[in-house]
Amino acid sequence: MRSESYWLDTAAPFVGAQRAAVEGQVDVVIVGGGFTGLSAARALAMKGASVAVLEAGRVIGEASGRNGGQCNTGVAQDYAALTASLGADQARAYYKAYESAVQSVVTVVEQEHIACDLKRNGKLKLAAKAMHYDGMARTCELIRREVDADVELLSAEQARAEVDSAEFHGGLLQRNGVQMHVGRFGVGLAEAAVRYGAQVYQDAAVTGWKANPAGFKVNTARGSIQARQILLATGACQHGGPGWYRRRIVPVGSFVIATEVLPQALIDQLFAHQRSYVTSRLIGNYFRITPDNRLLFGGRARFAMSNSTSDAKSGKVLRSAMVQMFPALANVKVDYCWGGLVDMTSDRLPRAGEHDGVFYSMGYSGHGVQMSVHMGLVMADVLDGNPAANPWRELDWPAVPGHFGTPWFLPLVGAYYRYQDSRH
């Protein structure tokens, strides 16, 4: 079994990285070579700006290349709860932002002709308990009335026809969602940024920056560069970085397994429409079929950081959950097991803006495939002088109480969520 991400292992290598030292002067330095940073680099370069992307490891080597490969509309929270807390207008605007984000991904793929197995299969959220289905019914009615008529509530029988498992009591189908091979997409995005003139540096960890009359001097492990503007696009990165951001982002481990290639007949039996699937528990699961017919099955199996030991333990938890959900997979071999970090905010809404003269976009809270690409485009407009393009500009971002960069409280959060799952 491989401990590498399936997406990274099955994508072509990125060959457009700069080999020389980091030096010179650019309009914009982007810290982080994931989807946000690469999308912004492409968009800024298309506007004529000189851009340098500084990535500590390999491009898309962290969250962008370690996720579940789902790209869906819909906010991270229950829409009815979001409406109750923020009001109908704000909830609608945030839902529409995710709808726009899905289209942003599709547009980039089409414009750059990126071969990444893009399919528009939609998302099915599955009710793990009867009371969850009742909540879905209320949410579905509200979404249909307020923001998106193309959602459908499925009965337990209809859900069983979609996903051949006895575990579920129905589901909420949102058709505006796509799947893609995120590794191939990320490499294609990096190549597009380079084609438009952006410089992309790998193994160039940023060690700090200092403001000066011309902007900022940015120091890296491979040299220093002068920039007029900085965009911070590091997500849950735990290597250095200003404490102001680390106190506001909670890095939560998310873990994934991918099976051996499955027979087409078995896939047709278990997943008739090959959608993207999520379950309704607080500690739930997400799954989908990969382009080469594996089942990718993930979730927050353990509330712990990702490392080799934690990933392996989580893989066993995930395999057990997969077999309980789909007994027909009991004898299927697992070929891949990996983990990564989700950049969670306390309210699970993204944050983007400017702090101490540095622009930033992060905190996608497990819904980053679409929003990261979209916010890269948005932040290119913001840096170009249009702050109104940012849908999250009015959100406050207080520090998480008691959080100073190391998430000591994750086991407590996990215990609380398990308790809530047992009750509701």
Side-chain angles (χ1 to χ4, degrees), residues 65-119:
R66 295 179 170 274
N67 54 71
Q70 299 193 16
C71 177
N72 304 313
T73 194
V75 291
Q77 308 84 345
D78 175 74
Y79 186 74
L82 192 66
T83 300
S85 63
L86 298 180
D89 290 345
Q90 196 65 76
R92 186 183 303 111
Y94 291 162
Y95 189 101
K96 288 292 187 183
Y98 276 92
E99 190 172 77
S100 297
V102 173
Q103 185 54 49
S104 289
V105 172
V106 173
T107 299
V108 169
V109 170
E110 292 176 346
Q111 288 178 342
E112 304 301 338
H113 307 288
I114 300 174
C116 59
D117 303 286
L118 187 77
K119 295 180 181 178

Side-chain angles (χ1 to χ4, degrees), residues 69-73 102 118-125 150-151 162 172-180 273-278 287-289:
Q70 299 193 16
C71 177
N72 304 313
T73 194
V102 173
L118 187 77
K119 295 180 181 178
R120 190 180 289 276
N121 291 1
K123 178 185 80 171
L124 178 58
K125 184 173 184 178
D150 196 20
V151 296
E162 289 265 356
L172 180 64
L173 177 59
Q174 294 172 283
R175 292 183 174 83
N176 182 30
V178 302
Q179 298 175 1
M180 61 181 175
H273 299 288
Q274 296 189 33
R275 305 190 194 279
S276 296
Y277 307 98
V278 297
F287 48 99
R288 56 159 287 193
I289 297 297

